[in-house]
Amino acid sequence: MKRNSVLPGFGLSLGFTMFYISLLVILPLSMIFINSVSVEWSKIWGTISDPRVVASYKLSFGAAFLAGSINVIFGVLIAWVLVRYPFPGRRIIDGLVDLPFALPTAIAGIALTTLYTENGWVGQFLSFKVAFTPLGITLALTFIGLPFVVRTVQPVLQSLEKEMEEASASLGANRLQTFIRVIFPELLPAALTGFALAFARALGEYGSVVFIAGNMPMKTEITPLLIMTKLEQYDYAGATAIAAVMLIFSFTILLIINILQWWTNRKFI
Amino acid sequence: MAGNVPLQFTNPPLQTTAGNSEPRLVRWILITLALAFLGLFLVLPLVAIFIKAFDKGIAVFLEAISNPDALSAIKLTLIITLITVPLNAIFGIAAAWAVTKFNFKGKSLLITIIDLPFAISPVIAGLVFVLLFSAHGLFGQWLIDHNVKIIFAVPGIALATLLVTLPFVARELIPLMQTQGTADEEASLTLGASGWKTFLLVTLPNIKWGLLYGIILCSARAIGEFGAVSVVSGHIRGMTNTMPLHIEILYNEYQFSAAFAVASLMSLFAIITLVVKNIIEWKAKKSFEPEEGVH
């Protein structure tokens, strides 16, 4: 099994790693599928195709997709400004971008809710409702996903060779053409990876969303919340069935992310 | 992978020439747009937390962070962090050692499994332990017979947090140790050092910044985890409430000032995390390119 290495500790490190992930990842996650198999298929189908549950898939997917898209646009813009333009406070702003990774999600949730309710600091100036609507959910998911796109696009922008842009300019392209034809294709794999990471995170996100969502059945109920609701009613079979659906989506996204990262690395190494 | 972005370095901005830059006006508009977005999405919520915390005066703030329920939540959060972070750090080192120093079949599958906790919903991370250890779970009857409590108790919270934060240190160390290769360790072994000595005196100094960085990210998540912990905790006041759960209860009881007071404590910690993270990035950058002068 092991090849061409004289270093010690193979058995110990791999053994411990396998033991640890078997106990904490493989055994626990396989419970979802073991429990699903032991229930009749018609009962599972009844749970996962219930209109209330289907409405939650649509909401979770729609809001996560919208938030991911907003993050791609502003994430690329922020990465661009941070890499290309010197301005006072650039280092501090750069550090601040990671705030959504450092701030507990529940705190982000209550802070955003307070700002965007009808008489909140921001909400009072808006003619439409944000908190307790799908818009509020999208807002929270945008907050959570922002660093992913910035941090995947930033290193690619830094490693871009400016000679390429100069060549494009000297061949007569204007700045916009250079961006669309030369820079953008280089950024695309990283931007898509960032989108997929933000999307995956947004799909499963719970803490920041529950406060701002309002959690009305059929309207503002996300899928992770439904799992929680079923659990609180001791409907373990129902919770597990919905979790199985979410896990399958998560695995699919993980696969897509791996392909995207392979594509990004191929382009740049 | 989702939930984590590896240690990276910020270079000074490009030298701009007519060929690779935009007109002043365009630059100015782009910078304003980016700053406005960050201001609205990141700075404003952060400012709001601190202002709302002192909304009803300093006395309410002090009461909120010093009442017994808050103190027991702070204590439990610290205990959970002290259990989970060292375990996941040891796991991260072991996994990175196995993956980067040796070749074996199924390596990329192993890395994918290590990444899994980042891709699953925190609610599912809690649910799986309920399926294993609750009264109706796989080991439920056995646990009741032996009078062991895992769900709605501290061990369950620790397990759920362990699962959610499992990849942080490993994901940080794997790419780092990959680029460092095995030459340093081989030299040390050739010169007669033992395996452990080689690890402690050669590998550990090489990976210290990456390790510290992973530990910082892991701690931040362990302290702030909400969804997974919420499933397994049972929300028993003074017993199984972590700080984020305590904030949730206060908020749902319309004690907004108290909720934001505890939240401001955690936000302060988040800001410290960001500062430490940036210092580590700066240190790591210096230690990786010592010969490189001023750009």
Side-chain angles (χ1 to χ4, degrees), chain A:
Chain A
M1 212 161 136
K2 134 179 134 171
R3 286 203 319 262
N4 56 35
S5 182
V6 294
L7 298 181
F10 178 70
L12 179 66
S13 62
L14 188 65
F16 179 70
T17 304
M18 294 304 295
F19 170 75
Y20 200 83
I21 60 171
S22 303
L23 218 63
L24 277 169
V25 183
I26 299 173
L27 171 71
L29 287 188
S30 60
M31 285 305 291
I32 300 276
F33 294 104
I34 293 169
N35 275 36
S36 302
V37 170
S38 63
V39 182
E40 290 162 60
W41 173 242
S42 61
K43 212 177 150 210
I44 294 179
W45 181 249
T47 307
I48 61 176
S49 64
D50 175 46
R52 188 173 157 190
V53 180
V54 173
S56 84
Y57 302 145
K58 284 184 190 156
L59 176 66
S60 277
F61 267 90
F65 190 85
L66 198 59
S69 309
I70 295 170
N71 277 328
V72 166
I73 295 167
F74 282 93
V76 171
L77 172 71
I78 291 163
W80 178 268
V81 166
L82 287 176
V83 172
R84 293 295 174 109
Y85 305 149
F87 60 90
R90 193 179 62 99
R91 285 287 300 147
I92 294 172
I93 302 286
D94 191 44
L96 194 71
V97 167
D98 288 322
L99 180 72
F101 284 161
L103 194 71
T105 53
I107 293 180
I110 62 170
L112 288 172
T113 311
T114 308
L115 287 175
Y116 287 92
T117 49
E118 268 167 288
N119 38 24
W121 290 0
V122 182
Q124 59 181 313
F125 298 111
L126 302 173
S127 55
F128 46 90
K129 277 183 75 174
V130 177
F132 317 126
T133 71
L135 202 59
I137 298 173
T138 310
L139 188 81
L141 296 180
T142 308
F143 175 88
I144 291 302
L146 179 70
F148 289 107
V149 179
V150 179
R151 294 303 186 221
T152 46
V153 170
Q154 216 173 5
V156 176
L157 261 178
Q158 272 163 358
S159 64
L160 273 190
E161 284 161 19
K162 63 180 177 196
E163 283 79 5
M164 229 163 46
E165 292 164 47
E166 278 160 3
S168 164
S170 65
L171 289 170
N174 66 31
R175 199 57 195 146
L176 191 64
Q177 283 172 321
T178 302
F179 182 81
I180 294 170
R181 308 281 283 272
V182 178
I183 301 171
F184 183 70
E186 296 288 316
L187 295 186
L188 188 63
L192 284 177
T193 306
F195 172 84
L197 291 170
F199 182 76
R201 175 72 200 267
L203 210 53
E205 178 58 23
Y206 177 76
S208 60
V209 179
V210 279
F211 296 99
I212 204 165
N215 309 327
M216 285 170 285
M218 305 296 292
K219 288 205 183 86
T220 56
E221 212 174 29
I222 54 165
T223 312
L225 178 76
L226 267 179
I227 298 178
M228 199 70 130
T229 312
K230 298 258 180 219
L231 265 176
E232 275 162 10
Q233 298 160 346
Y234 298 100
D235 178 7
Y236 290 167
T240 312
I242 301 171
V245 173
M246 282 202 79
L247 267 187
I248 291 167
F249 284 124
S250 299
F251 290 160
T252 314
I253 296 168
L254 198 62
L255 188 72
I256 295 171
I257 291 170
N258 280 337
I259 295 169
L260 280 170
Q261 274 172 346
W262 172 79
W263 183 28
T264 316
N265 292 339
R266 231 174 103 89
K267 265 189 109 113
F268 290 98
I269 292 171

Side-chain angles (χ1 to χ4, degrees), chain B residues 161-204:
Chain B
T161 310
L162 268 179
L163 173 54
V164 171
T165 60
L166 181 131
F168 280 96
V169 177
R171 275 321 287 180
E172 204 54 55
L173 290 181
I174 290 171
L176 179 67
M177 285 167 74
Q178 204 103 54
T179 53
Q180 287 175 348
T182 57
D184 287 2
E185 283 82 3
E186 280 161 12
S188 157
L189 288 166
T190 318
L191 293 171
S194 71
W196 282 110
K197 210 171 168 185
T198 300
F199 171 73
L200 288 175
L201 297 179
V202 177
T203 311
L204 212 51

Side-chain angles (χ1 to χ4, degrees), chain B residues 89-291:
Chain B
I90 293 168
F91 162 74
I93 294 169
W97 181 271
V99 164
T100 60
K101 305 292 182 192
F102 305 96
N103 285 315
F104 54 90
K105 271 187 194 149
K107 197 196 254 188
S108 43
L109 181 67
L110 179 63
I111 297 176
T112 308
I113 295 173
I114 294 173
D115 277 342
L116 259 184
F118 278 153
I120 63 169
S121 173
V123 173
I124 296 180
L127 167 70
V128 291
F129 291 108
V130 171
L131 295 178
L132 277 173
F133 300 121
S134 72
H136 309 281
L138 189 62
F139 300 115
Q141 199 52 51
W142 189 88
L143 291 172
I144 291 169
D145 292 343
H146 291 78
N147 207 11
V148 183
K149 234 175 132 57
I150 292 184
I151 298 302
F152 305 143
V154 177
I157 300 174
L159 280 170
T161 310
L162 268 179
L163 173 54
V164 171
T165 60
L166 181 131
F168 280 96
V169 177
R171 275 321 287 180
E172 204 54 55
L173 290 181
I174 290 171
L176 179 67
M177 285 167 74
Q178 204 103 54
T179 53
Q180 287 175 348
T182 57
D184 287 2
E185 283 82 3
E186 280 161 12
S188 157
L189 288 166
T190 318
L191 293 171
S194 71
W196 282 110
K197 210 171 168 185
T198 300
F199 171 73
L200 288 175
L201 297 179
V202 177
T203 311
L204 212 51
N206 274 343
I207 62 169
K208 64 178 175 202
W209 295 123
L211 180 63
L212 204 58
Y213 192 86
I215 287 175
I216 292 282
L217 294 176
C218 188
S219 311
R221 184 68 192 265
I223 291 169
E225 179 51 33
F226 179 75
V229 169
S230 185
V231 175
V232 294
S233 135
H235 298 79
I236 308 163
R237 261 187 217 224
M239 300 273 290
T240 62
N241 254 353
T242 61
M243 286 175 86
L245 297 179
H246 184 62
I247 293 171
E248 182 199 16
I249 291 183
L250 291 174
Y251 187 85
N252 287 341
E253 287 173 345
Y254 302 102
Q255 301 189 44
F256 295 130
S257 293
F260 278 106
V262 182
S264 71
L265 267 191
M266 298 194 79
S267 307
L268 201 62
F269 183 79
I271 294 168
I272 294 169
T273 304
L274 287 184
V275 172
V276 173
K277 188 170 162 292
N278 276 284
I279 293 172
I280 295 173
E281 276 169 347
W282 180 71
K283 290 261 190 198
K285 189 186 175 186
K286 268 181 74 172
S287 72
F288 279 128
E289 34 186 78
E291 284 99 48

